Amino acid sequence: MVRRLFPRSIRARLTAVATLIAALVFTVTSAITLTTVPDNLRGVVQARVEVAVRRAASEARTGELSPALEPPTRVHLLEVVAADGRVVASSHSVPKGLQVTSLRPPKADTLYTAERTVYRSPDEAEGHYLIMALTVRTPHGPVTVYGASSLAEVDRALIWVYLLVFVGTPLVLVSVAGIAWVTVGSALRPVERIRTEMAEITGQDLSRRVPVPDTGDEITDLATTTNDTLDRLERSAETQRRFVADASHELRSPISALRAQLEVATAYPDETDWKVTGERALAAADRLTGIIEELLMLARLDAGAVPERRVVDLAHVAQEQVRRREGSPVPIVPNLCAAAPVFGSTLQLDRLLTNLLDNATRHAAGRIDLEVAVEGDKVVVTVTDDGEGIPPQDRERVFERFTRLESARVKDKEGSGLGLPLSREIAAAHGGSLTIADHSPGARFVAVLPLYGPP
């Protein structure tokens, strides 16, 4: 099992990442500080002493050296010593215990630098000095110019630098980790509330919704999308429950009728006309088969199943429908274009026309008009009957599954209420639509599908 480099918790991961980034930044910054700041601080002191030493050396070369030297600010000692050890010139104040003559430059006109620590009495602090020496030739012989400046301010500054680097950096990293932990926790708190609410939502109660924070950020969008999904899920679950209930009811009727017929025939075999009973049983079985086939096709459409598709000539399919219905009590008057190619399933498109024509046959009074036309990049199929029509307030309701208007129940007690919903689902699956247009008398169903190929 491979060990995880980071913890599973998002809060812990983000805290770790923020701390690591901060540690990297502070490490690089500290390294740069420790390599540059000490040299820069000493460089300032060294430049100050060097200027004083070279100025005194220049005066000694020209013989203009004064016995009493005035060192610049923060240069604590300036002294000129002859080759025999005699002090030729010196500043007024000399740091106690500081011996500079121990630094003997081996070459003339070359500046030498050293550091000295002066140990005083236990009651006094030790002194840390930067000493520079330069030997030059003068009219009276070679002399050595000494300059010294205290490094106490540099040492104090370096102490603060070391404290900031070695003590401040860990404290800052701990602070960064704490701030990241609290901030991420605060940001993820709405997510935890959403998770808790989602864990309590069950299939039996889909009415609950997750809380939507008013922060206006991505978590607000997540909560809003989650609630929208729950809305759709609730509607889908309600539709499914209603669908199952209606399907159970519709299937129960023919099964009950079939069972009653068979029970009567079995109870009174000698008085039963078995031919008639068989025909009625077959009719009930055919009705069950039709309902099951429509339910199966609806289930496949709901699941997004894509059957084998090819180019289908709707005009030819409509012509076959008219041919199969020759001799029907209600004649079909076709008005078909030469060709109306669409890309789709032959079985489903044939079922669409079958359902529309069956519905029109049940309600027509004298005739049915079937028209297939190409309009621009669309194929328009129109089925019109001359029956009682459909009220405007019911024109969408008839496309709900298992919905049957009162007039339909009176004319056809064997219907299932699935034909029109299935036809609309087929049209939608082929990128089209099925609607009811205004027409009087009767009803007019209009199916619009995309034309295959150029218009």
Side-chain angles (χ1 to χ4, degrees):
M1 179 178 177
V2 181
R3 295 177 60 88
R4 294 178 62 89
L5 297 178
F6 288 96
R8 293 181 180 274
S9 169
I10 294 179
R11 186 181 189 182
R13 288 204 301 268
L14 292 179
T15 301
V17 170
T19 305
L20 289 176
I21 293 175
L24 178 61
V25 172
F26 278 101
T27 300
V28 174
T29 304
S30 299
I32 295 174
T33 300
L34 293 177
T35 54
T36 59
V37 170
D39 292 339
N40 290 338
L41 293 176
R42 283 184 170 84
V44 172
V45 177
Q46 183 175 346
R48 186 187 305 139
V49 176
E50 182 178 353
V51 170
V53 169
R54 290 190 182 277
R55 182 183 299 168
S58 177
E59 292 175 354
R61 284 194 189 96
T62 59
E64 299 176 355
L65 186 65
S66 173
L69 300 177
E70 291 293 336
T73 305
R74 297 185 181 180
V75 175
H76 299 90
L77 179 143
L78 192 58
E79 192 172 73
V80 180
V81 181
D84 55 4
R86 180 174 49 88
V87 177
V88 178
S90 177
S91 57
H92 296 291
S93 61
V94 177
K96 183 179 178 181
L98 179 61
Q99 298 293 329
V100 297
T101 55
S102 59
L103 180 61
R104 295 283 184 174
K107 294 175 60 178
D109 297 325
T110 302
L111 191 64
Y112 288 88
T113 304
E115 293 184 14
R116 294 286 187 271
T117 300
V118 177
Y119 297 96
R120 303 190 180 102
S121 63
D123 297 335
E124 296 178 334
E126 65 182 26
H128 189 201
Y129 291 90
L130 174 72
I131 303 173
M132 303 188 74
L134 176 62
T135 300
V136 295
R137 293 178 178 84
T138 69
H140 305 289
V143 296
T144 302
V145 181
Y146 294 96
S149 180
S150 175
L151 292 173
E153 294 182 357
V154 174
D155 293 339
R156 285 194 295 271
L158 289 179
I159 289 174
W160 283 107
V161 170
Y162 295 144
L163 285 175
L164 290 175
V165 170
F166 296 108
V167 178
T169 298
L171 292 178
V172 171
L173 292 180
V174 171
S175 301
V176 169
I179 293 173
W181 181 266
V182 173
T183 302
V184 175
S186 177
L188 293 178
R189 195 170 294 116
V191 177
E192 176 61 22
R193 289 196 292 267
I194 293 173
R195 186 201 65 79
T196 303
E197 187 67 25
M198 287 292 293
E200 296 177 357
I201 296 176
T202 62
Q204 286 72 31
D205 182 16
L206 294 174
S207 61
R208 301 177 63 172
R209 297 294 179 266
V210 301
V212 180
D214 57 357
T215 54
D217 54 10
E218 290 82 356
I219 297 179
T220 301
D221 297 338
L222 171 64
T224 302
T225 304
T226 301
N227 284 337
D228 292 341
T229 302
L230 289 174
D231 289 338
R232 293 193 297 270
L233 183 60
E234 184 180 17
R235 291 194 297 269
S236 177
E238 180 61 28
T239 301
Q240 184 178 10
R241 283 194 290 266
R242 188 172 64 250
F243 179 79
V244 171
D246 293 341
S248 301
H249 175 74
E250 292 295 330
L251 289 173
R252 187 184 299 116
S253 298
I255 292 175
S256 298
L258 178 60
R259 182 181 181 86
Q261 293 173 13
L262 294 177
E263 287 178 347
V264 171
T266 303
Y268 305 99
D270 297 333
E271 302 177 7
T272 300
D273 187 342
W274 287 100
K275 181 179 180 181
V276 174
T277 301
E279 292 175 351
R280 291 176 179 174
L282 286 175
D286 290 340
R287 184 185 176 197
L288 283 173
T289 302
I291 293 175
I292 292 172
E293 287 179 352
E294 290 179 333
L295 287 173
L296 181 59
M297 186 172 291
L298 280 171
R300 289 174 176 171
L301 290 172
D302 289 341
V306 180
E308 182 181 356
R309 295 192 175 189
R310 60 185 182 86
V311 180
V312 180
D313 186 357
L314 271 185
H316 177 72
V317 175
Q319 187 176 5
E320 286 296 316
Q321 286 281 347
V322 174
R323 185 185 62 79
R324 290 201 299 265
R325 295 172 185 268
E326 290 179 354
S328 172
V330 181
I332 299 176
V333 180
N335 182 15
L336 310 178
C337 61
V342 298
F343 188 73
S345 166
T346 304
L347 177 63
Q348 291 183 357
L349 293 173
D350 184 70
R351 174 57 67 91
L352 185 151
L353 285 177
T354 299
N355 290 347
L356 292 180
L357 291 172
D358 286 346
N359 179 75
T361 301
R362 284 193 293 269
H363 297 280
R367 59 178 280 176
I368 298 173
D369 293 315
L370 173 60
E371 180 181 359
V372 178
V374 175
E375 299 179 2
D377 59 349
K378 304 291 183 182
V379 174
V380 181
V381 179
T382 305
V383 178
T384 308
D385 64 70
D386 57 353
E388 69 280 2
I390 301 175
Q393 66 271 17
D394 294 328
R395 289 180 181 175
E396 282 300 317
R397 200 162 67 88
V398 296
F399 291 108
E400 297 177 1
R401 299 176 184 183
F402 297 108
T403 297
R404 302 182 67 204
L405 302 181
E406 185 63 29
S407 59
R409 293 183 181 275
V410 171
K411 291 191 174 184
D412 184 10
K413 297 181 179 180
E414 303 299 323
S416 63
L418 290 175
L420 294 180
L422 177 59
S423 298
R424 172 170 276 191
E425 293 287 346
I426 293 174
H430 286 76
S433 63
L434 176 60
T435 57
I436 301 176
D438 291 331
H439 184 265
S440 182
R444 171 172 290 175
F445 288 82
V446 180
V448 180
L449 298 171
L451 177 70
Y452 179 80

mmCIF file of all heavy atoms in Angstrom, residues 312 314-315 337 339-342 372-381 433 446-452:
data_model
loop_
_atom_site.group_PDB
_atom_site.id
_atom_site.type_symbol
_atom_site.label_atom_id
_atom_site.label_comp_id
_atom_site.label_asym_id
_atom_site.label_seq_id
_atom_site.Cartn_x
_atom_site.Cartn_y
_atom_site.Cartn_z
ATOM 1 N N VAL A 312 -34.263 7.737 -43.274
ATOM 2 C CA VAL A 312 -35.623 7.212 -43.418
ATOM 3 C C VAL A 312 -36.449 8.225 -44.204
ATOM 4 O O VAL A 312 -36.436 9.418 -43.888
ATOM 5 C CB VAL A 312 -36.272 6.960 -42.041
ATOM 6 C CG1 VAL A 312 -37.686 6.415 -42.207
ATOM 7 C CG2 VAL A 312 -35.420 6.009 -41.209
ATOM 8 N N LEU A 314 -39.751 9.698 -44.695
ATOM 9 C CA LEU A 314 -41.036 9.756 -43.992
ATOM 10 C C LEU A 314 -42.214 9.701 -44.964
ATOM 11 O O LEU A 314 -43.296 9.216 -44.608
ATOM 12 C CB LEU A 314 -41.113 11.034 -43.146
ATOM 13 C CG LEU A 314 -40.569 10.927 -41.717
ATOM 14 C CD1 LEU A 314 -40.815 12.223 -40.967
ATOM 15 C CD2 LEU A 314 -41.215 9.773 -40.975
ATOM 16 N N ALA A 315 -42.014 10.213 -46.155
ATOM 17 C CA ALA A 315 -43.090 10.138 -47.142
ATOM 18 C C ALA A 315 -43.397 8.668 -47.471
ATOM 19 O O ALA A 315 -44.568 8.274 -47.601
ATOM 20 C CB ALA A 315 -42.703 10.903 -48.406
ATOM 21 N N CYS A 337 -45.355 14.559 -50.082
ATOM 22 C CA CYS A 337 -44.345 15.098 -50.999
ATOM 23 C C CYS A 337 -43.578 13.932 -51.619
ATOM 24 O O CYS A 337 -43.752 12.764 -51.244
ATOM 25 C CB CYS A 337 -43.403 16.049 -50.269
ATOM 26 S SG CYS A 337 -42.477 15.273 -48.916
ATOM 27 N N ALA A 339 -40.312 13.177 -51.498
ATOM 28 C CA ALA A 339 -39.360 12.550 -50.574
ATOM 29 C C ALA A 339 -39.181 13.465 -49.368
ATOM 30 O O ALA A 339 -39.131 14.696 -49.511
ATOM 31 C CB ALA A 339 -38.019 12.293 -51.254
ATOM 32 N N ALA A 340 -39.074 12.839 -48.193
ATOM 33 C CA ALA A 340 -38.873 13.605 -46.958
ATOM 34 C C ALA A 340 -37.881 12.846 -46.098
ATOM 35 O O ALA A 340 -38.248 12.185 -45.123
ATOM 36 C CB ALA A 340 -40.197 13.807 -46.224
ATOM 37 N N PRO A 341 -36.575 12.906 -46.461
ATOM 38 C CA PRO A 341 -35.585 12.110 -45.714
ATOM 39 C C PRO A 341 -35.276 12.721 -44.344
ATOM 40 O O PRO A 341 -35.065 13.933 -44.208
ATOM 41 C CB PRO A 341 -34.357 12.158 -46.629
ATOM 42 C CG PRO A 341 -34.499 13.443 -47.389
ATOM 43 C CD PRO A 341 -35.968 13.656 -47.580
ATOM 44 N N VAL A 342 -35.247 11.875 -43.356
ATOM 45 C CA VAL A 342 -34.793 12.245 -42.016
ATOM 46 C C VAL A 342 -33.849 11.162 -41.535
ATOM 47 O O VAL A 342 -33.878 10.034 -42.043
ATOM 48 C CB VAL A 342 -35.966 12.423 -41.018
ATOM 49 C CG1 VAL A 342 -36.894 13.542 -41.453
ATOM 50 C CG2 VAL A 342 -36.729 11.120 -40.860
ATOM 51 N N VAL A 372 -47.383 15.144 -45.504
ATOM 52 C CA VAL A 372 -45.938 15.156 -45.255
ATOM 53 C C VAL A 372 -45.331 16.154 -46.225
ATOM 54 O O VAL A 372 -45.487 15.995 -47.461
ATOM 55 C CB VAL A 372 -45.311 13.763 -45.439
ATOM 56 C CG1 VAL A 372 -43.806 13.834 -45.223
ATOM 57 C CG2 VAL A 372 -45.933 12.762 -44.487
ATOM 58 N N ALA A 373 -44.663 17.180 -45.703
ATOM 59 C CA ALA A 373 -44.115 18.238 -46.553
ATOM 60 C C ALA A 373 -42.732 18.627 -46.045
ATOM 61 O O ALA A 373 -42.400 18.430 -44.865
ATOM 62 C CB ALA A 373 -45.039 19.453 -46.548
ATOM 63 N N VAL A 374 -41.933 19.162 -46.966
ATOM 64 C CA VAL A 374 -40.605 19.678 -46.625
ATOM 65 C C VAL A 374 -40.682 21.192 -46.639
ATOM 66 O O VAL A 374 -41.039 21.795 -47.668
ATOM 67 C CB VAL A 374 -39.538 19.177 -47.621
ATOM 68 C CG1 VAL A 374 -38.196 19.813 -47.321
ATOM 69 C CG2 VAL A 374 -39.431 17.660 -47.575
ATOM 70 N N GLU A 375 -40.372 21.808 -45.523
ATOM 71 C CA GLU A 375 -40.399 23.259 -45.391
ATOM 72 C C GLU A 375 -39.030 23.721 -44.917
ATOM 73 O O GLU A 375 -38.690 23.585 -43.731
ATOM 74 C CB GLU A 375 -41.486 23.694 -44.412
ATOM 75 C CG GLU A 375 -42.893 23.303 -44.831
ATOM 76 C CD GLU A 375 -43.944 23.730 -43.836
ATOM 77 O OE1 GLU A 375 -43.564 24.371 -42.821
ATOM 78 O OE2 GLU A 375 -45.135 23.418 -44.055
ATOM 79 N N GLY A 376 -38.243 24.249 -45.857
ATOM 80 C CA GLY A 376 -36.890 24.674 -45.517
ATOM 81 C C GLY A 376 -36.036 23.492 -45.120
ATOM 82 O O GLY A 376 -35.864 22.543 -45.892
ATOM 83 N N ASP A 377 -35.501 23.509 -43.925
ATOM 84 C CA ASP A 377 -34.675 22.409 -43.442
ATOM 85 C C ASP A 377 -35.454 21.522 -42.484
ATOM 86 O O ASP A 377 -34.858 20.828 -41.648
ATOM 87 C CB ASP A 377 -33.410 22.939 -42.760
ATOM 88 C CG ASP A 377 -33.741 23.844 -41.578
ATOM 89 O OD1 ASP A 377 -34.915 24.219 -41.425
ATOM 90 O OD2 ASP A 377 -32.813 24.185 -40.808
ATOM 91 N N LYS A 378 -36.785 21.538 -42.585
ATOM 92 C CA LYS A 378 -37.630 20.744 -41.705
ATOM 93 C C LYS A 378 -38.565 19.857 -42.525
ATOM 94 O O LYS A 378 -38.969 20.210 -43.638
ATOM 95 C CB LYS A 378 -38.475 21.639 -40.793
ATOM 96 C CG LYS A 378 -37.686 22.616 -39.946
ATOM 97 C CD LYS A 378 -36.869 21.897 -38.875
ATOM 98 C CE LYS A 378 -36.133 22.906 -37.983
ATOM 99 N NZ LYS A 378 -35.303 22.220 -36.968
ATOM 100 N N VAL A 379 -38.902 18.713 -41.918
ATOM 101 C CA VAL A 379 -39.949 17.842 -42.453
ATOM 102 C C VAL A 379 -41.146 17.975 -41.524
ATOM 103 O O VAL A 379 -41.029 17.744 -40.315
ATOM 104 C CB VAL A 379 -39.484 16.381 -42.531
ATOM 105 C CG1 VAL A 379 -40.641 15.483 -42.944
ATOM 106 C CG2 VAL A 379 -38.331 16.244 -43.513
ATOM 107 N N VAL A 380 -42.276 18.365 -42.068
ATOM 108 C CA VAL A 380 -43.474 18.607 -41.270
ATOM 109 C C VAL A 380 -44.501 17.536 -41.604
ATOM 110 O O VAL A 380 -44.895 17.372 -42.771
ATOM 111 C CB VAL A 380 -44.042 20.015 -41.537
ATOM 112 C CG1 VAL A 380 -45.290 20.255 -40.682
ATOM 113 C CG2 VAL A 380 -42.992 21.080 -41.258
ATOM 114 N N VAL A 381 -44.932 16.801 -40.575
ATOM 115 C CA VAL A 381 -45.961 15.767 -40.713
ATOM 116 C C VAL A 381 -47.202 16.262 -39.983
ATOM 117 O O VAL A 381 -47.147 16.588 -38.801
ATOM 118 C CB VAL A 381 -45.491 14.426 -40.129
ATOM 119 C CG1 VAL A 381 -46.586 13.372 -40.274
ATOM 120 C CG2 VAL A 381 -44.215 13.967 -40.816
ATOM 121 N N SER A 433 -40.172 18.010 -32.670
ATOM 122 C CA SER A 433 -41.222 18.343 -31.705
ATOM 123 C C SER A 433 -42.556 17.817 -32.215
ATOM 124 O O SER A 433 -42.726 17.530 -33.409
ATOM 125 C CB SER A 433 -41.299 19.864 -31.505
ATOM 126 O OG SER A 433 -41.653 20.507 -32.727
ATOM 127 N N VAL A 446 -49.095 18.206 -35.244
ATOM 128 C CA VAL A 446 -48.019 18.622 -36.144
ATOM 129 C C VAL A 446 -46.693 18.130 -35.574
ATOM 130 O O VAL A 446 -46.288 18.533 -34.471
ATOM 131 C CB VAL A 446 -47.985 20.157 -36.314
ATOM 132 C CG1 VAL A 446 -46.850 20.542 -37.264
ATOM 133 C CG2 VAL A 446 -49.326 20.654 -36.822
ATOM 134 N N ALA A 447 -46.025 17.246 -36.318
ATOM 135 C CA ALA A 447 -44.695 16.752 -35.945
ATOM 136 C C ALA A 447 -43.675 17.410 -36.870
ATOM 137 O O ALA A 447 -43.818 17.359 -38.096
ATOM 138 C CB ALA A 447 -44.619 15.225 -36.045
ATOM 139 N N VAL A 448 -42.641 18.017 -36.288
ATOM 140 C CA VAL A 448 -41.594 18.681 -37.057
ATOM 141 C C VAL A 448 -40.267 17.992 -36.747
ATOM 142 O O VAL A 448 -39.876 17.864 -35.590
ATOM 143 C CB VAL A 448 -41.504 20.187 -36.678
ATOM 144 C CG1 VAL A 448 -40.406 20.851 -37.491
ATOM 145 C CG2 VAL A 448 -42.848 20.864 -36.916
ATOM 146 N N LEU A 449 -39.593 17.517 -37.809
ATOM 147 C CA LEU A 449 -38.311 16.799 -37.661
ATOM 148 C C LEU A 449 -37.269 17.432 -38.583
ATOM 149 O O LEU A 449 -37.622 17.999 -39.632
ATOM 150 C CB LEU A 449 -38.500 15.324 -38.016
ATOM 151 C CG LEU A 449 -39.492 14.541 -37.135
ATOM 152 C CD1 LEU A 449 -39.728 13.159 -37.752
ATOM 153 C CD2 LEU A 449 -38.949 14.421 -35.729
ATOM 154 N N PRO A 450 -35.986 17.335 -38.225
ATOM 155 C CA PRO A 450 -34.939 17.913 -39.066
ATOM 156 C C PRO A 450 -34.824 17.164 -40.389
ATOM 157 O O PRO A 450 -34.852 15.934 -40.414
ATOM 158 C CB PRO A 450 -33.663 17.768 -38.235
ATOM 159 C CG PRO A 450 -34.120 17.499 -36.821
ATOM 160 C CD PRO A 450 -35.442 16.808 -36.960
ATOM 161 N N LEU A 451 -34.696 17.914 -41.460
ATOM 162 C CA LEU A 451 -34.482 17.309 -42.791
ATOM 163 C C LEU A 451 -33.059 16.809 -42.900
ATOM 164 O O LEU A 451 -32.123 17.462 -42.473
ATOM 165 C CB LEU A 451 -34.788 18.337 -43.883
ATOM 166 C CG LEU A 451 -34.546 17.911 -45.318
ATOM 167 C CD1 LEU A 451 -35.567 16.861 -45.745
ATOM 168 C CD2 LEU A 451 -34.608 19.116 -46.266
ATOM 169 N N TYR A 452 -32.895 15.627 -43.461
ATOM 170 C CA TYR A 452 -31.561 15.084 -43.652
ATOM 171 C C TYR A 452 -31.007 15.630 -44.964
ATOM 172 O O TYR A 452 -31.614 15.512 -46.021
ATOM 173 C CB TYR A 452 -31.615 13.557 -43.709
ATOM 174 C CG TYR A 452 -30.253 12.929 -43.923
ATOM 175 C CD1 TYR A 452 -29.366 12.773 -42.859
ATOM 176 C CD2 TYR A 452 -29.864 12.487 -45.177
ATOM 177 C CE1 TYR A 452 -28.127 12.207 -43.056
ATOM 178 C CE2 TYR A 452 -28.623 11.923 -45.383
ATOM 179 C CZ TYR A 452 -27.760 11.775 -44.307
ATOM 180 O OH TYR A 452 -26.525 11.213 -44.503
#
